[in-house]
Amino acid sequence: MITKPIKTNVITGFLGVGKTSLIKQLLANKPNDETWAVLVNEFGEIGVDASLINKTSRNDVFIKEVAGGCLCCAAGVPTQVAINQIIQRAKPDRILIEPTGIGHPQQIIKVLKAPHYQQVIDLKATLCLVDARKVADPRYHQHPIFIEQLCIADVVIANKSELYETKDQQALNDFLQQLQLRPVVVEARAHFSAPGLIHSLLEQLDKPQKMRINADVQLVNKSTLPKPSLLSAKSAMWEGEDKSSPKPLTANEIRCKTNQGDDFYSVGWLTGVAYCFEFEKLMSWFESFKRPWVLRVKAVMITADGILAVNMVDGQLTLAELDETMDSRVEIISSTQLDAQQLQAQLLGCLVV
């Protein structure tokens, strides 16, 4: 039985703007006496972000990933099952929801505000991360998803501000005014390391969700909404099959998965622990994706030199070292369809011989 509604925040923003990095910082600085849960959704079928969030031995952080498409557009029974499983298993004090950067977050907001969640979810401020350098680019300011993410934001975080010119921040302010939006605007820099910034953002999390939801966005078909009370332990919604959890990967197995939607494409691979890659070959392969039509590359790879985390946005490649992983995984999101068979051959060519 749920005795107190769970504080819930949606953290949105376009591809590669720093949502996962922010969530890591929030988790690292959350109150010690609280249990937090994170629901991560990715457009690609593989799912990398949950591996990039530092999953320590702490038992006060619960992370669930739903890969393969927009959590927002799939905001019917499967999405509600994922949320309900988090509530049942983690019994969290707060839930952070990170929709895919190319998803429609208004839909997930509407689901969270549905009548059957009124006694379960206490929807708090929605945060939207944005790189102000991109606002002047028509590919962003004319993109309906980019606009939608800003329209639902109670707090807009202008991330990577150390890289801005004066005109960039002004462009963001002007665009918000053009959209007739008045969110709280916070500047963030250096991976959210500025003194007091995370404390300030933790305070923002507790503010109420109040930005408008456009009436022209239709809620999920009412016939898909569950009839039983979600407060009942016997509700079928608590016991739905968790289709987001694939069968375990064997040591010598490789899986390739693709997805497409909203004029975006993804291709990705999972490889078992028996596959070990050469660092230099992998770097050459990742460098080959510095093309205008490649929007994002994310990977966690087992190499002869250790476990490598890879992130590429706008042709900028960043690397980090991880402590452990159960497999290697890579996801590529592009604006044109890529040749999965050719890319897989290139990936396997990076193996240690």
Side-chain angles (χ1 to χ4, degrees):
M1 175 70 69
I2 298 170
T3 59
K4 182 175 67 173
I6 300 167
K7 297 178 181 179
T8 301
N9 303 89
V10 176
I11 299 178
T12 187
F14 222 65
L15 293 171
V17 76
K19 298 185 297 295
T20 302
S21 297
L22 172 60
I23 289 173
K24 289 172 63 176
Q25 289 293 335
L26 292 174
L27 293 177
N29 291 275
K30 73 172 189 64
N32 292 328
D33 60 347
E34 292 187 1
T35 296
W36 285 23
V38 182
L39 176 58
V40 181
N41 171 231
E42 294 196 56
F43 174 75
E45 294 280 350
I46 295 300
V48 178
D49 282 347
S51 297
L52 296 175
I53 296 175
N54 184 24
K55 292 189 282 188
T56 67
S57 58
R58 294 171 56 172
N59 58 9
D60 58 353
V61 173
F62 182 91
I63 299 171
K64 181 174 178 59
E65 187 170 50
V66 178
C70 174
L71 179 72
C72 325
C73 298
V77 171
T79 298
Q80 295 174 65
V81 168
I83 294 171
N84 296 337
Q85 287 174 339
I86 285 177
I87 294 171
Q88 184 186 48
R89 296 174 185 176
K91 298 178 175 58
D93 297 285
R94 186 182 299 274
I95 302 174
L96 303 179
I97 300 178
E98 180 193 346
T100 172
I102 49 179
H104 302 276
Q106 292 196 78
Q107 292 287 36
I108 193 66
I109 294 288
K110 284 197 169 185
V111 168
L112 294 171
K113 292 170 75 77
H116 54 267
Y117 275 127
Q118 286 183 356
Q119 299 180 61
V120 182
I121 296 294
D122 180 11
L123 190 58
K124 295 296 188 180
T126 295
L127 279 58
C128 175
L129 285 81
V130 62
D131 185 339
R133 296 173 298 168
K134 307 294 180 60
V135 174
D137 187 337
R139 294 176 300 173
Y140 288 82
H141 71 243
Q142 294 180 5
H143 202 292
I145 294 175
F146 183 77
I147 294 171
E148 180 179 322
Q149 291 170 347
L150 288 172
C151 284
I152 69 163
D154 299 289
V155 181
V156 170
I157 302 173
N159 196 22
K160 308 177 184 179
S161 63
E162 72 273 17
L163 304 176
Y164 295 177
E165 298 179 12
T166 303
K167 63 180 179 65
D168 297 324
Q169 185 65 53
Q170 188 59 50
L172 174 59
N173 295 336
D174 291 345
F175 192 54
L176 292 173
Q177 185 174 5
Q178 178 186 337
L179 296 174
Q180 299 182 350
L181 301 175
R182 295 179 179 83
V184 175
V185 179
V186 179
E187 287 193 22
R189 62 179 62 225
H191 304 287
F192 309 98
S193 61
L197 174 60
I198 289 298
H199 177 71
S200 174
L201 291 176
L202 286 169
E203 291 181 345
Q204 294 291 341
L205 290 181
D206 278 335
K207 293 189 175 181
Q209 192 277 336
K210 58 184 179 182
M211 291 305 291
R212 69 183 187 271
I213 303 298
N214 292 341
D216 59 343
V217 179
Q218 297 300 314
L219 182 59
V220 59
N221 189 316
K222 291 182 180 179
S223 64
T224 66
L225 297 179
K227 301 300 182 182
S229 167
L230 294 180
L231 298 177
S232 169
K234 295 182 179 180
S235 170
M237 287 296 296
W238 294 108
E239 301 171 357
E241 180 183 357
D242 186 1
K243 296 181 179 179
S244 66
S245 299
K247 294 180 180 179
L249 192 72
T250 62
N252 294 291
E253 186 179 357
I254 181 170
R255 297 177 188 170
C256 176
K257 296 185 179 182
T258 60
N259 192 15
Q260 68 178 85
D262 283 326
D263 298 323
F264 297 101
Y265 300 84
S266 74
V267 58
W269 294 268
L270 279 170
T271 62
V273 294
Y275 290 85
C276 185
F277 297 87
E278 288 190 22
F279 178 83
E280 295 298 336
K281 289 182 179 179
L282 273 180
M283 287 303 96
S284 296
W285 189 59
F286 287 127
E287 288 285 341
S288 72
F289 293 114
K290 292 184 175 181
R291 301 289 186 268
W293 53 87
V294 177
L295 306 176
R296 186 81 189 273
V297 178
K298 296 180 289 185
V300 174
M301 308 297 294
I302 299 172
T303 79
D305 299 311
I307 299 170
L308 177 69
V310 177
N311 185 25
M312 191 176 81
V313 183
D314 296 329
Q316 297 295 316
L317 192 64
T318 57
L319 309 176
E321 186 176 357
L322 299 181
D323 294 329
E324 60 181 21
T325 185
M326 300 299 294
D327 50 47
S328 292
R329 50 185 64 206
V330 57
E331 191 90 64
I332 305 161
I333 300 176
S334 60
S335 58
T336 60
Q337 192 166 11
L338 303 179
D339 187 332
Q341 186 174 0
Q342 181 184 51
L343 292 176
Q344 180 167 314
Q346 295 172 359
L347 174 62
L348 294 178
C350 299
L351 289 169
V352 172
V353 179

